[in-house]
Every structure is written in C-alpha cells, then in structure tokens.
C-alpha cells in the first residue's frame, strides 16, 4: 500500500516535469537581437511570446548589461543569441544576473543561432588585437544574408520542437513557410510555384541564375531582391564597419574598403585620406553605414569623393519601415539599389 | 644559488600557469578566460612625499612624484563545472619605496544553478558595499579612489574570506539583496579587527581579539535597485551596511552605513557606447565604538568616533573614445579638527580627461586640488597621467 502511494507520487511528479509548458501557456523566448526575435516570432507563431534585448536601433556589439535585461530573462524558457562572439561583452552578465538556470550556456534553453549558417571571414591563421576587433569564429553579421535567415528559422524550429514537442510539426511548417516567404521576396515572380528554391540560392550566389531570371519583367517586389540587385554585380562599395560582408557577398557587390582602418577602431585621418584616394581612383559610388554610426567620417569622405552615403538600419526595428525581417531586407535592397542607380559615378 | 624572493617565485609560478592555460585555449574550448590589466601613472604633487602618502592613501592611488605602478592584475575566470563559476584576481604592485608586492586580491566561486533567484559566493572577495568598493581599479573613472573609501573601507578596499548569499527578488523592478559574513581581521578590514604592527588606529591602541561568536565576524548587507527612466536612462540606487567588531578591545565595535546612486544616460543608437553622461555618488557614515583602555600605553574611556564623507562625480563621454569628468569629495570625523590627518576635515576637487584608443587601452590626465589642515598652506595640487593596457579576454562591466 505504502509502496503504491510512493509510486503514484513519483509518477505524478514525473508527469508534471514531463508536461513542459502547461497547455495554453506560451513559450517565453528572449533573443539578443530584434532580427532573431522577428524570425522566432515567424517560426513560433501563436505558441510563443518573444522579447528582444536589442531594439534594432542599437549596435548589438555594445549593449550595456542593464539590470532590467536580467529581469526579462528571469522567466524565459529559451534564450537565442547570434553567437560568434557578437554578444561577448554583455551576454554572460545578463544570463548570470537573471538567475535563470534553464537558459545558461549548455542547457536546452540556450540556443546559438549561428549553428549551421554560412559563415564568412573565418580567420584561418592566428588572430590578435593588432588586427582590431576580429571575431575568431567568423564575421557575426550573418543575418544580413537572407539565405542564412532560412537556416536560422530551421534551427529555431528544431529547438522549439524539442522544448514543446506537442507543437513540433507546426514549428516545422511555420519555418518552411517563413523560408518560402524569403524565397519569394528574393526571386519574385520568377519563382515557380512548388519549385525548390534551394538550388537557386547557390546559382544566384555564383551569378548564373540562367534564363527566366534575366531582364525579368515587373517592378518593385514582384521582381525580387535578386533582380533589383543583379545590375550591380561587381560594383565596388565602401562600408563603415565590416557589418555588410554577408549582404555584399550575397548580391555580388565588392568591398573597396571600410572607413575603419581596422574593425572596431575609430576612422583615423590618415586612413580616410588613403581611402578617399582609392575611392576616387575606383569611382566608388556609395558608402553603406549602419544607422547608429556617426555621420562625421562618412560625410567627410562623401564630400571629397562625390559618393552617396546610404545610412540604413541593419536590424528589424531599426526604423518604422523595418517592421519584420522581409521588410528590413526590402528596405536595404531598395535603398542600396536606388542609390546605386542614381549615382553619377 | 640564491633563491628568488617570495614574490619572485610567485611571479614565476603565475607565468607558468599563464603559459599552460594559454596553450590550452585552442579551438572553441574555453577552460578559463585570462586577462592582464596593467595600470600605471606618473605625475607630480605639490605635497611632500610623506603628506602625499596620506593624501593619496588608496593602495592603488598614484602616491609619489614620478612613476607609480598602480596595479598589474592577472585575472582568470571561467566555468568550473555545470554548477559553479570560478574567478581569481592576483595583483602585483611596486610600492612607493620600490618594493614588489604580491596580493591575492580575490578568488571565489559563484553558484550558477540555485533556484528562487539565489546565488552563493564563497572564497575571498571584495565586500559588496556601495558601488566602488567591489570594482577593480581598471574600471575606475579616476586615477585614485575617493577619500571616504580609503578612510572607512581601507586603501585596498574592504575584502576578505567569507560567504555571501544574493537574492534577486521577484519584485517587478530589479531589486537584489546581498547578505554576507566575512572575517573581520586582516589588513583589508581596516575599520574592524585589523591590528597592524603600529598597533594604533584613530589614535587608539589595538589589541588582538579572539573569535568568540558569529558577532565577531564582519556582517554585511546590501540592497540594490535599478530602474529605467525611459529607454536611454537607467538609475541604480543602493543602500549598504556593515557590522563588526573592532580591535580596540572587548566591546569595541564598528558599523558603517552607506547609500549610493549611479545614473547613466546613453541613447540606444550609440556609437560603441558614446555619447553618454554618467552621474555617480556615494555617502558613508562610520560609528567606531572604541572600547575603554587602561594600560601603560594609553588610558581612555569608551568613546564613539564618527566619520562621514561623500563624493559625487560626473562623466561625460562627449565624442567616441573621449570622456571628461569632474569629482567633488568631502570627508570629516567627529572631535577636534587638526589632530589626525586620517579623520580631519578634507575636501578634494578633481577634473580629468580620458582617451580610449580601443576598449583595451586608455590614457588619462587628472588634476587634483586637495584641502586639509595637515597640509602646508592648507592645500595641495597634483597632476597625474595614467595609462593602461589590457591583454586577454576582457570581462564585461556590470552596469
């Protein structure tokens, strides 16, 4: 009799523990950046509630570890980060401060979204600080390649399924539907219904999409990002920081240099002088600058070279227009392609 | 063969540890984050050598005309296992006489997986009293520590072996409570059981006391609150208290109370942290109940000595990499002025300008103007240049 009671009690506890989030209760997700929030919302649908530490108007490298962020993490079921050391300066402080053991590094509630993405600028040799702020695991701004957004969605869906097995299938479907939205935004009306876009991404990257994608008809969104950007393949551009590597790589733009002589180091007059000469010689038409960066250096270089400064947010929520991932990329593609079209250089 | 000095042997040991750990840091395995922060200064003061040691009484303050090695600190930190984190800070200095000093500044573990918002810290560590005391010299906004910190919490800052529990309360704003006990003796517990060779503190002879009960340990409490005032401004408000025995004899006890504020404005869309404005202030009050003493050396009745002081500072990060600041401070003790330079009325005004070429280095210029009775002409000025380099993994700063 006694044994039975104990068993019943243990079983009861086991059921309670295994049940995971109670029915009707949403999974609480906190992401480090607004881009991850946008993708997690698309993948989690009605079953999740997502909060982001960065609003999208901030530089995600430099976020003050405010105590209020620790409170946001206190009840989180899942913490998602960009990784590749982007959040290195502040992540541990807020994780430890939250006293939430289920989201610590190494636990199921801690997800690094960089797992599986196409990484660029992964150093092959020894990295040291004389090179500036070089990320030893690769450039962390990978969300600016829309192909990586699809991979992130898949990674998040898988983890959501593990945390909430009841809705596993829905998460997989929602991730597939998000990926399809990205595909459609990228290839526009040229993407056939039911056509697997996977191979198109590689062909587009290599610059040989082939017939059906050249001289594509229609305007605006119907043309897709790739068609909007296709005329500028091989065009040289200058950026403030190396945050645009993935965007440039995806659309075949070529970097002619950065305003920063080395990553994370303030632009110096000597370096800018050399850069101005390079830009004049190569007729670089635009300077791409993330919206939280200072205006002084970009404007100085623009005034000497005639290049256009394109100051644009690189994260969801960076301005009103960038309301979700697709809208954010739309804005980037439109602003950059328009500036390139209009440039007299 | 001559054996190296103790500090020489320790340096050798640390270099070996450093070398071994550094070679293990390949790939993505990270057993420990290592860093070395080296802080130096040079400058001049109108006060003579002896007075300068009193004026700049902090153990890491620049305290001589010429060059000072303020603090060379080797830090190791990392996950011990899935349940604990470990942290150690070992410091080297060369003092005003040119002697090498080695100190175990901190070495402690913190729990990572306790429930109910709890965390335990155990080992030897800076007492969480006020804002500045637990901070390492590398993160100070000035070349020296405030006078009141030196007077009440000691030149090295208040630290020692012990254990503390922190509790993040479930209140809707950030409110954390810290309760701790530490040994009350040793040179890093000056207002308490420290009984140095000189055997005197605040004019009273000191005696060695046995540990009788928990009441003979140093007990500490801190309540820290944080609020956001809009998206760009955050304010931290803290209240702290210390209770413990002192070394004047049976019945001698000390309590120290303090309040602190830190307010920072920084727009969300900032450029690597700039621009910003940060206001910081602390006030502290000490009751030092000196026990009655009757010996050949000294005859005195039980007496309550009170000390009070505060500082307020404003830092303005006006341009990426640049910060300017101004600080005012005042400290005074009960009783007749002009008797004890460590308790007399003192004020200091400081202004500084710091340039950070990167997160890992800085150069700082600071001008101090001190006023105190013990100084010739009642005042002194000092001009200091501080420079720092930082190697290794730089741990983020607490807000």
């Amino acid at each position: 009799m006694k044994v039975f009671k104990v068993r019943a009690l243990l079983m009861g506890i086991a059921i309670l523990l295994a049940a995971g989030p109670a029915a009707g209760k949403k999974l609480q997700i906190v992401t480090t950046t607004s881009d991850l929030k946008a993708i997690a919302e698309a993948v989690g649908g009605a079953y999740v509630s997502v909060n982001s530490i960065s609003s999208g108007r901030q530089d995600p490298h430099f976020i003050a570890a405010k105590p209020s962020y620790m409170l946001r993490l206190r009840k989180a079921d899942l913490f998602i980060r960009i990784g590749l050391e982007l959040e290195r300066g502040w992540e541990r402080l807020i994780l430890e401060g939250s006293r939430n053991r289920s989201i610590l590094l190494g636990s199921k509630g801690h997800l690094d979204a960089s797992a599986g993405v196409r990484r660029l600028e992964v150093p092959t040799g020894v990295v040291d600080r004389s090179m500036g702020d070089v990320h030893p695991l690769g450039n962390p701004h990978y969300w600016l390649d829309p192909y990586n957004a699809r991979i992130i969605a898949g990674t998040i869906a898988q983890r959501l399924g593990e945390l909430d097995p009841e809705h596993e299938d829905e998460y997989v479907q929602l991730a597939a539907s998000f990926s399809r939205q990205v595909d459609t935004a990228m290839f526009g009306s040229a993407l056939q219904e039911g056509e697997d876009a996977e191979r198109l991404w590689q062909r587009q990257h290599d610059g040989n999409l082939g017939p059906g994608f050249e001289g594509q008809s229609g305007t605006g969104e119907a043309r897709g990002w790739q068609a909007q950007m296709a005329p500028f393949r091989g065009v040289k551009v200058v950026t403030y920081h190396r945050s645009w590597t993935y965007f440039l790589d995806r659309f075949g733009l070529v970097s002619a240099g950065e305003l920063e002589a080395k990553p994370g180091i303030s632009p110096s007059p000597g370096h800018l002088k050399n850069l101005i000469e390079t830009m004049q010689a190569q007729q670089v038409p635009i300077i791409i600058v993330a919206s939280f960066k200072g205006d002084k250096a970009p404007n100085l270089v623009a005034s000497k070279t005639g290049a256009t400064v394109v100051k644009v947010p690189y994260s969801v929520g960076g301005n009103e227009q960038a309301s979700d991932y697709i809208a954010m990329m739309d804005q980037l593609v439109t602003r950059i392609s328009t500036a390139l079209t209009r440039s007299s250089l | 063969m001559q054996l190296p000095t103790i500090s020489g042997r320790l340096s050798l040991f640390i270099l070996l540890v450093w070398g071994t750990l550094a070679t293990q840091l390949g790939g993505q395995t990270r057993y420990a984050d290592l860093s070395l922060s080296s802080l130096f200064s040079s400058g001049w003061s109108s006060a003579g050598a002896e007075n300068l040691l009193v004026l700049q009484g902090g153990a890491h303050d620049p305290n001589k005309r010429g060059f000072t090695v303020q603090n060379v600190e080797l830090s190791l930190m990392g996950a011990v296992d899935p349940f604990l984190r470990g942290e150690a800070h070992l410091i080297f200095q060369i003092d005003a006489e040119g002697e090498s000093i080695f100190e175990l500044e901190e070495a402690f573990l913190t729990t990572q997986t306790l429930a109910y918002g709890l965390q335990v810290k155990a080992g030897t560590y800076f007492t969480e009293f006020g804002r500045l005391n637990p901070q390492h010299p590398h993160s100070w906004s000035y070349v020296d520590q405030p006078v009141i910190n030196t007077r009440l919490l000691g030149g090295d800052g208040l630290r020692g072996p012990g254990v503390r529990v922190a509790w993040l309360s479930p209140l809707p704003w950030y409110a954390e409570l810290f309760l701790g006990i530490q040994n009350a003796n040793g040179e890093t517990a000056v207002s308490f059981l420290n009984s140095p060779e000189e055997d005197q503190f605040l004019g009273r002879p000191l005696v060695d006391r046995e540990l009788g009960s928990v009441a003979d340990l140093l007990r500490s409490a801190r309540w820290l609150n944080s609020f956001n005032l809009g998206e760009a401004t955050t304010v931290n408000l803290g209240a702290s208290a210390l209770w413990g025995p002192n070394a004047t004899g049976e019945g001698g006890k000390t309590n120290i109370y303090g309040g602190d504020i830190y307010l920072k404005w920084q727009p969300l869309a900032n450029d690597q942290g700039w621009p910003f404005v940060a206001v910081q202030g602390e006030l502290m009050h000490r009751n030092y109940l000196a026990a009655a003493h009757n010996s050949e050396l000294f005859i005195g009745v039980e007496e309550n000595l009170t000390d009070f002081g505060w500082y307020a500072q404003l830092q303005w990060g006006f341009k990426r990499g640049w910060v300017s600041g101004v600080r005012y401070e005042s400290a005074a003790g009960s009783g007749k002025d002009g008797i004890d330079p460590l308790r007399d009325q003192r004020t200091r005004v400081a202004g500084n300008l710091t340039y950070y070429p990167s997160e890992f280095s800085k150069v700082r210029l600071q001008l101090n103007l001190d006023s105190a009775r013990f100084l010739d002409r009642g005042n002194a000025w000092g001009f200091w240049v501080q420079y720092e380099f930082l190697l290794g993994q730089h741990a983020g700063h607490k807000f």
Side-chain angles (χ1 to χ4, degrees):
Chain A
M1 199 60 186
K2 205 174 176 184
V3 173
F4 174 74
K5 268 189 190 166
V6 172
R7 264 194 202 161
L9 187 68
L10 286 176
M11 273 179 71
I13 292 171
I15 289 167
L16 280 176
L17 288 175
K25 186 183 169 281
K26 292 183 174 187
L27 269 179
Q28 302 294 314
I29 302 176
V30 178
T31 63
T32 57
T33 72
S34 50
D35 307 285
L36 290 175
K37 173 178 188 270
I39 299 172
E41 277 172 342
V43 174
Y47 310 114
V48 300
S49 162
V50 194
N51 202 304
S52 166
I53 299 290
S54 166
S55 70
R57 283 180 289 145
Q58 287 150 286
D59 183 342
H61 296 86
F62 298 93
I63 287 186
K66 291 186 183 186
S68 57
Y69 299 147
M70 300 170 189
L71 292 195
R72 288 197 212 173
L73 287 169
R74 199 160 49 170
K75 300 274 182 221
D77 300 304
L78 177 62
F79 172 81
I80 311 177
R81 68 172 184 188
I82 290 287
L84 307 187
E85 301 200 342
L86 180 79
E87 300 97 342
R88 181 151 182 90
W90 49 278
E91 173 201 45
R92 194 185 67 73
L93 286 169
I94 63 167
L95 279 177
E96 192 173 314
S98 76
R99 304 289 153 73
N100 182 347
R101 53 188 166 169
S102 58
I103 56 168
L104 293 176
L105 185 67
S107 59
K108 221 179 193 181
H110 186 111
L111 177 64
D112 189 322
S114 71
V117 299
R118 236 181 101 248
R119 284 195 236 167
L120 296 175
E121 292 178 350
V122 184
T124 47
V126 173
V127 170
D128 77 22
R129 294 230 174 91
S130 66
M131 304 163 179
D133 187 16
V134 175
H135 292 267
L137 304 176
N139 186 318
H141 303 88
Y142 59 81
W143 68 93
L144 290 174
D145 176 355
Y147 182 74
N148 277 335
R150 301 163 94 245
I151 298 173
I152 300 169
T155 308
I156 294 177
Q158 192 186 343
R159 185 60 61 88
L160 289 179
E162 288 167 20
L163 289 170
D164 177 19
E166 200 186 326
H167 300 112
E168 193 180 353
D169 294 344
E170 280 103 318
Y171 297 135
V172 172
Q173 277 165 22
L174 284 164
S177 137
F178 172 78
S179 293
R180 194 65 185 173
Q181 280 178 47
V182 175
D183 295 343
T184 311
M186 179 72 176
F187 299 104
S189 50
L191 183 67
Q192 304 296 314
E193 203 168 313
E195 185 182 8
D196 178 17
E198 188 66 41
R199 59 190 181 85
L200 292 181
W201 285 92
Q202 187 56 49
R203 278 168 47 196
Q204 178 275 337
H205 182 258
D206 298 343
N208 60 358
L209 263 177
F213 291 91
E214 287 161 359
Q216 204 176 323
S217 61
T219 52
E221 277 175 30
R223 297 172 65 208
W225 299 329
Q226 91 60 36
Q228 282 175 267
M229 292 300 295
F232 311 110
R233 190 166 276 277
V235 169
K236 287 188 172 155
V237 301
V238 159
T239 64
Y240 195 115
H241 177 68
R242 280 198 202 159
S243 19
W244 302 92
T245 304
Y246 290 87
F247 186 89
L248 304 189
D249 176 74
R250 174 50 60 191
F251 295 108
L253 300 176
V254 179
S255 171
E258 289 88 30
L259 297 186
E260 294 175 339
K262 287 170 180 176
I265 305 294
S266 290
S268 66
H271 170 69
L272 291 183
K273 189 172 165 281
N274 291 339
L275 186 70
I276 288 167
E277 283 165 16
T278 310
M279 287 176 70
Q280 283 166 339
Q282 303 188 359
Q283 298 205 310
V284 174
I286 60 167
I287 305 166
I288 310 178
V289 180
S291 50
F292 45 75
K293 287 287 178 195
D295 287 319
K296 210 174 148 190
N299 287 347
L300 172 83
V301 174
S303 70
K304 302 273 185 199
T305 61
T308 309
V309 176
V310 184
K311 200 171 183 187
V312 63
Y314 70 33
S315 278
V316 173
N319 63 12
E320 259 181 43
Q321 244 180 302
S323 54
D324 63 20
Y325 184 80
I326 306 264
M328 186 270 293
M329 282 303 295
D330 257 342
Q331 178 177 208
L332 282 185
V333 168
T334 307
R335 294 274 306 275
I336 290 170
S337 61
T338 307
L340 286 169
T341 309
R342 287 187 187 155
S343 173
S344 52
L345 289 172
Chain B
M1 189 186 112
Q2 201 184 349
L3 277 172
T5 60
I6 289 181
S7 59
R9 265 178 275 172
L10 280 164
S11 341
L12 210 63
F13 168 71
I14 283 157
L15 279 172
L16 282 172
V17 172
W18 171 281
T20 317
L21 283 167
T23 52
Q24 287 176 3
L25 288 174
Q28 288 202 46
T29 312
R30 179 168 275 130
Y31 297 118
D33 284 349
L34 287 161
S35 72
L36 182 82
S37 148
S38 297
L39 204 53
F40 308 93
S41 62
S42 56
W44 201 264
S45 168
S46 67
E50 206 173 310
N51 280 346
L52 192 49
L53 285 173
V54 178
L55 269 189
Q56 302 288 101
H60 304 289
D61 293 355
N63 57 9
K64 70 178 302 205
R65 292 176 178 171
F67 297 86
T68 304
V69 178
Q70 291 184 271
N71 192 46
V72 177
E73 178 167 335
L74 179 65
S75 301
L76 297 99
M77 51 187 80
V80 174
D81 55 32
F83 319 105
L84 301 172
R85 269 187 72 83
E87 202 168 301
H89 303 270
L90 312 169
I91 56 177
F92 297 91
Q93 269 180 284
I94 296 173
D95 71 10
E97 272 78 51
E99 283 290 311
S100 278
I101 299 175
F102 166 82
E103 278 177 28
L104 173 61
E105 189 177 46
E106 288 192 291
F108 59 85
L109 60 85
T110 47
T111 61
Q112 300 293 300
T113 53
L114 294 186
Y116 308 112
L118 294 168
Q119 186 200 57
V120 172
K121 182 191 253 189
T124 184
Y125 53 86
F126 279 114
T127 311
E128 277 132 337
F129 180 95
R131 181 166 173 86
L132 200 81
N133 189 63
Q135 286 185 359
H136 292 234
H138 138 80
S139 44
W140 295 350
S141 303
Y142 290 80
V143 305
D144 40 24
Q145 68 178 19
V147 174
I148 194 62
N149 281 68
T150 303
R151 283 189 174 183
L152 304 195
L153 306 174
D156 288 294
L158 180 62
R159 56 181 156 93
V163 60
R164 76 102 171 97
V165 178
W167 179 53
L168 179 61
S169 81
L171 290 167
W173 74 91
Y174 178 92
E176 187 164 16
L177 189 66
F178 301 82
L179 297 171
I181 45 170
Q182 281 168 293
N183 282 350
N185 67 318
E187 61 179 9
T188 55
V190 294
S191 289
F192 300 92
L193 279 186
N194 177 38
S195 49
E197 282 164 23
E198 305 88 62
D199 282 342
Q200 275 223 343
F201 185 63
L202 310 184
R204 309 283 295 211
L206 301 177
V207 296
D208 285 325
R209 289 176 63 183
E210 286 280 317
L211 186 65
S213 70
V214 177
D216 293 334
L217 291 168
L218 170 64
R219 285 142 290 142
S220 63
R222 173 163 173 77
W223 189 33
L224 176 63
N225 298 276
S226 179
F227 309 93
N228 287 342
L229 312 171
E231 63 172 29
T233 308
T234 298
V235 60
N236 286 0
L237 293 171
S240 313
L242 299 164
W243 303 273
N246 66 44
T248 54
E250 208 58 45
K253 58 184 180 185
T254 305
N255 51 50
I256 303 177
Y257 301 105
D260 56 278
I261 182 170
Y262 177 69
L263 183 148
K264 187 172 188 180
W265 170 85
Q266 184 179 50
L268 281 190
N270 60 63
D271 187 3
Q272 300 206 1
W274 276 270
F276 68 87
V277 174
V279 177
Q280 180 173 324
E282 290 190 61
L283 49 86
M284 292 176 213
H285 183 271
R286 175 178 68 191
N287 281 314
Y288 190 86
L289 182 68
H293 190 99
N294 194 345
S295 73
E296 289 166 11
L297 287 167
F298 183 85
I299 296 173
V301 292
E302 186 178 272
E303 189 186 3
N304 195 23
L305 305 167
T306 61
D307 284 86
F308 177 76
W310 59 277
Y311 73 86
Q313 67 188 44
L314 176 92
Q315 302 307 115
W316 177 33
F318 55 95
K319 181 177 188 276
R320 179 167 151 185
W322 291 87
V323 183
S324 64
V326 57
R327 178 178 71 183
Y328 180 82
E329 36 181 335
S330 164
S334 61
K336 249 193 210 159
D337 198 28
I339 292 174
D340 183 352
L342 297 176
R343 295 194 63 234
D344 289 349
Q345 168 71 38
R346 255 190 83 174
T347 60
R348 181 162 71 190
V349 188
N352 71 10
L353 180 68
T354 311
Y355 174 61
Y356 296 84
S358 75
E359 275 178 87
F360 309 101
S361 58
K362 70 171 175 246
V363 185
R364 172 173 290 157
L365 311 178
Q366 183 170 320
L367 191 64
N368 282 358
L369 180 64
D370 279 279
S371 302
R373 179 78 82 81
F374 72 89
L375 295 166
D376 312 329
R377 297 191 306 275
N379 58 52
W381 60 263
F383 177 72
W384 307 105
V385 183
Q386 183 186 48
Y387 33 101
E388 180 190 38
F389 71 83
L390 214 148
L391 290 176
Q393 293 293 347
H394 177 199
H397 290 173
K398 278 189 177 166
F399 191 86

